[in-house]
Amino acid sequence: MSPSGLRASPAWQALARHWQALNGTTLRQLFDARPDRGTRMVAEGAGLYLDYSKNLATGETLRLLQALARSRGVFARRDAMFRGDRINETERRAVLHVALRAPRNERIVVDGKDVVPEVHEVLDRMAAFSDKVRSGAWRGHSGKPIRNVISIGIGGSDLGPVMAYEALKHYSRRDMTFRFVSNVDPTDFAEATRDLDAEETLFVVCSKTFTTLETLTNAHAARDWCLHKLGGDEAAVAKHFVAVSTNAEEVGKFGIDTANMFGFWDWVGGRYSMDSAIGLSTMLAIGPDRFRDMLAGFHAMDVHFRRTPADRNLPVLLGLLAVWYNDFFGAQTVAVLPYAQYLKRFPAYLQQLTMESNGKHVTLSGGRVDYPTGPVYWGEPGTNGQHSFYQLIHQGTRLIPCDFIGFMRSLNPLGDQHDLLMANLIAQTEALAFGKTPAQVRAEGTPEWLVPHRVCEGNRPTNTILAENLTPHSLGALVALYEHSVFTQGAIWNIDSFDQWGVELGKQLASKVIPQLRDPMDPEPDHDSSTNALIRRYRAARTARSG
Ligand code: G6Q
């Protein structure tokens, strides 16, 4: 029996039997049996439309998956999250990103304290600051208005802001430059600053802990760059640096006035923080009103997740189908394919959200799981991907469930190009589901020897997610959809979707190697032979360079 009893549970066993019975049934057969699938297996919420009919699943599959969710306490756990319970058990923290988008009149109590007023106090301070910068009232050290914003952060303190800036560029101040520095590779900082005037540049240093090596290193580089360009007067720091953090003490030590600090709380996980003050660069780009529209989109999906019955609940359906493929079909990955160029960083953002959350091998009680947990998420915008990796999805040997994301309207209408974009999205989901039979290939006059090569089996499952338009609101709803889908999956697997001990390990590892690389007199390093040889090789090159 598995540590959590998941495999042995009646709900899981019923699904296993159902999978046996269904295995081999094609999507063609499923659509023939129920021709109305395309209008029946759909759900709507928070402005998003989900068509899940092209999945290797029947109404019975969905009923059994919902029964599994109930038996695993998914809905009780969801309610516990919204209530502010400490459901991040290994860090003993509440998980309250939903409070970041709660309306002013809502009450969410953590340790006897309603956190919603604090959330709005920070939002109001962010808005006042953004207005000052955007209007030109906030001046740099030499009196010039700010025209460039560089957000420095990494992981959860970077991927959300980058994705949101790219996604909402259409709504952003085009006369301002927004850049993001994350990598400790000095190239990232050098390229971000090379053509900018320090007098017009504001750095937003984003770090929940304010101790992260990459971010602190880049923030020091930015400080040096700024002071060097502005004549060395330390007073410049107050005009060109603001911080977003939970750690006021470290912010103060760095030299940023804590009056220029925007806080958040330990109940906001890094990868769930783009709608906290970590989104300050987003607000500077699109303005406070649109930022609030984005929060409203998040909140609309929160309400939908909380209140809608499971059979019409978008994140629940998406999460359950992900479990279905991951655990019963053995699918190892999920492709996310936005047909929107503005969403080009969305798959990278989702990779962190999904894989850092559900890449876990022990249950909440510490036993090793005996079922697969979080799949690998990846993707690229369509139609570009169609000309490369889609080949493997259509005709390879692996099952890769795909999420297609599209919009009814273009933000940049140009002739009939948007029709072409959406025609491709729709045609791909059709081709993946139904393929091309030998008879169809032969009917095209294909010579017999070529027929097997041109046959597409179909049966490749897809979800289609549509929204009217890419707006701050729809982006918020889309991100919250995936946040809650991740939650649903993690609750079924009984894992802690909100810790990240593997990432923490990464934060510690380099600290031992750093001095060993730098000190040529250091005795033989004490690692394995491969690591020792790599250190010696780099050290020799470094010594040769400096000598
Ligand atoms: C997010 C992760 C991780 C984190 C970064 C940055 O959930 O824990 O990606 O966001 O390591 O951490 P700081 O914000 O503390 O610098």
Side-chain angles (χ1 to χ4, degrees), residues 153-159 206-212 215-216 264 269-273 278 352 356 498 500 503-504 507:
I154 196 163
S157 297
D158 171 68
L159 286 159
C206 296
S207 176
K208 181 172 170 180
T209 54
F210 228 77
T211 55
T212 304
T215 302
L216 268 287
F264 59 116
R271 54 196 175 275
Y272 295 88
S273 68
I278 290 289
Q352 182 187 27
E356 197 175 355
F498 303 101
Q500 56 283 311
V503 169
E504 307 295 339
K507 289 191 179 190

Side-chain angles (χ1 to χ4, degrees), residues 219-291:
H220 280 287
R223 200 170 183 279
D224 293 347
W225 178 82
C226 210
L227 290 179
H228 172 70
K229 302 263 181 185
L230 296 178
D233 185 353
E234 293 274 335
V237 173
K239 295 288 173 201
H240 293 271
F241 283 82
V242 296
V244 179
S245 187
T246 56
N247 192 343
E249 197 184 325
E250 288 297 326
V251 170
K253 276 193 211 156
F254 178 85
I256 297 178
D257 186 346
T258 43
N260 295 339
M261 168 177 157
F262 300 89
F264 59 116
W265 306 271
D266 71 356
W267 41 260
V268 184
R271 54 196 175 275
Y272 295 88
S273 68
M274 61 170 274
D275 45 348
S276 72
I278 290 289
L280 183 59
S281 58
T282 314
M283 192 189 268
L284 285 162
I286 66 174
D289 291 347
R290 288 189 172 123
F291 193 85

Side-chain angles (χ1 to χ4, degrees), residues 6-23 56-72 319-325 327-329 492-493:
L6 177 55
R7 273 180 184 281
S9 69
W12 184 278
Q13 290 297 320
L15 274 160
R17 282 192 300 275
H18 174 70
W19 180 79
Q20 288 284 354
L22 192 71
N23 196 17
L56 295 162
T58 62
E60 177 66 1
T61 319
L62 271 303
R63 272 189 294 282
L64 292 172
L65 284 167
Q66 286 156 36
L68 177 70
R70 276 192 300 278
S71 74
R72 300 296 289 172
L320 290 177
L321 286 163
V323 170
W324 179 231
Y325 293 118
D327 291 7
F328 292 90
F329 286 79
I492 288 184
W493 293 322

Side-chain angles (χ1 to χ4, degrees), residues 12-44:
W12 184 278
Q13 290 297 320
L15 274 160
R17 282 192 300 275
H18 174 70
W19 180 79
Q20 288 284 354
L22 192 71
N23 196 17
T25 309
T26 64
L27 274 168
R28 216 174 261 280
Q29 289 165 336
L30 292 177
F31 271 80
D32 285 346
R34 287 300 300 254
D36 62 347
R37 275 176 73 96
T39 50
R40 208 167 40 86
M41 296 177 81
V42 298
E44 283 188 70

